[in-house]
Amino acid sequence: MGGLSIWHWLIVLLIVVMVFGTKKLKNMGSDLGGAVKGFKEGMKEGGQPAEDKPASQVTNAQAPDKADKTTIDVEARQKP
């Protein structure tokens, strides 16, 4: 009585699709996948010794007051 059956989950899924739409859910899924991929790559890089890192990363770490001033618009990269 306290658990949710498959019918409850299907109704919830239907409501979510109706509210957000399939295109928005597809974009959210790809964004989440990219975030997970970036996290995994960051974890792999975190285990490497400092001498293996490229010079640009070491330079930025040593001079935090000279931060990169460029910005990237994520929306501009997505295909229409």
Side-chain angles (χ1 to χ4, degrees):
M1 185 167 223
L4 295 176
S5 69
I6 186 73
W7 294 109
H8 290 108
W9 288 113
L10 289 175
I11 292 170
V12 169
L13 179 65
L14 179 68
I15 292 171
V16 168
V17 169
M18 288 174 52
V19 170
F20 292 108
T22 56
K23 185 175 181 180
K24 183 101 172 172
L25 290 174
K26 180 182 173 186
N27 289 341
M28 287 174 27
S30 63
D31 291 343
L32 180 63
V36 169
K37 183 177 179 182
F39 177 75
K40 286 181 180 180
E41 289 175 0
M43 292 300 291
K44 287 179 184 177
E45 291 176 1
Q48 295 177 350
E51 61 269 0
D52 290 344
K53 292 184 180 178
S56 62
Q57 290 180 350
V58 174
T59 305
N60 287 341
Q62 292 173 351
D65 57 330
K66 295 180 181 178
D68 189 15
K69 303 273 187 208
T70 60
T71 58
I72 299 173
D73 187 11
V74 177
E75 294 296 323
R77 288 188 185 178
Q78 295 179 353
K79 295 180 182 177

